[in-house]
Amino acid sequence: MCADHFQTHHWADSHRDELTTRHTHEDALSEREFELLLEACKRLPEPKSYEAQLICLLAGRLGLRSGEITHLKKEWLDQDRDLIRIPQSESCDCGYCREQAKQEAANNEELTFRQAMADRWHPKTANSSRVISFDVSLRVELCIDRYDEFPKLRSTINRRVSEAAEAAGLTGRVYPHCLRATVASFHAYQGVPPVPLQAMMGWNDLSTAQKYIRISGAATAKAIRNVHH
Ligand SMILES: [Zn+2]
């Protein structure tokens, strides 16, 4: 096979991947679906009801990742200023952190398990350490005001979201990360500019925020309207 032929194939493959890969933004819920999900949380028995509401609002209105919800502590909350501060690291030896540290040490000869654990827990990237205002709505504020730590395993977080989705009769795939896509789409549609959107979501690349804004179409429509009217 000549080099040219190989390259053509390679290009075609990556192009096809780009077209067929399922992106998280495609799993974003509509605002209607998100409201149905929250209504369904309220119908679950306590304490599941509150846990499910908190998880759905933290992920679906504030953009927290499940790892962040799992490790959320009362000290992260600034109730006076309505802020959540996601730290650069937090000491933790939960099963998930131990598993991650074990994998890191296995993939890096210069890193011991103990060294990897010293850095656990930390958010996904350096940009994920961030401050998020939770006064976006009274509903979010009231829910966070009631927050008291509860034992949160990643599996519990996933289960609460699935239980609420099932109670809401939502048929598509509903999982914590698609709630993050939901809030990103929501803010993009409302016209939040790329830089604050990136800061809120803790993305490394500005291009991710730009992608959500482009897909929402709201900014494009507004810019075109401004020119013509
Ligand atoms: Zn942990």
Side-chain angles (χ1 to χ4, degrees), residues 17-178:
D17 280 351
E18 179 62 26
L19 289 175
T20 54
T21 304
R22 189 160 183 85
H23 293 283
T24 313
H25 66 77
E26 297 175 63
D27 287 336
L29 301 182
S30 67
E31 281 304 292
R32 184 188 143 78
E33 288 169 326
F34 186 69
E35 286 306 318
L36 290 174
L37 184 71
L38 280 179
E39 284 303 314
C41 290
K42 293 180 193 159
R43 295 196 299 271
L44 297 175
E46 286 293 359
K48 285 184 180 182
S49 169
Y50 175 70
E51 291 173 4
Q53 281 180 65
L54 180 73
I55 293 163
C56 289
L57 289 172
L58 287 175
R61 282 298 90 145
L62 302 180
L64 267 69
R65 294 187 174 91
S66 22
E68 294 163 352
I69 299 175
T70 314
H71 290 90
L72 178 68
K73 294 206 161 41
K74 271 200 147 168
E75 298 85 81
W76 295 14
L77 302 179
D78 181 339
Q79 302 276 13
D80 295 333
R81 295 162 70 196
D82 295 337
L83 300 173
I84 299 180
R85 287 171 209 281
I86 305 207
Q88 295 206 355
S89 75
E90 177 78 61
S91 84
C92 183
D93 66 349
C94 75
Y96 175 79
C97 286
R98 296 180 73 83
E99 198 47 51
Q100 293 289 309
K102 211 184 285 173
Q103 276 181 26
E104 266 175 21
N107 293 332
N108 183 349
E109 281 179 16
E110 279 154 43
L111 191 73
T112 65
F113 171 72
R114 192 190 287 263
Q115 284 166 334
M117 272 308 280
D119 200 24
R120 285 279 159 190
W121 171 83
H122 60 75
K124 193 176 174 195
T125 67
N127 271 358
S128 308
S129 165
R130 61 201 189 279
V131 177
I132 303 165
S133 317
F134 60 79
D135 58 0
V136 283
S137 79
L138 193 57
R139 178 167 68 183
V140 176
E141 243 183 281
L142 291 174
C143 188
I144 292 177
D145 281 347
R146 279 177 62 199
Y147 175 74
D148 207 354
E149 283 165 36
F150 58 85
K152 309 175 290 297
L153 295 169
R154 281 172 95 92
S155 53
T156 310
I157 308 251
N158 292 335
R159 210 175 313 121
R160 292 293 172 271
V161 173
S162 316
E163 284 161 348
E166 201 186 318
L170 296 177
T171 45
R173 267 157 42 84
V174 184
Y175 53 100
H177 207 71
C178 83

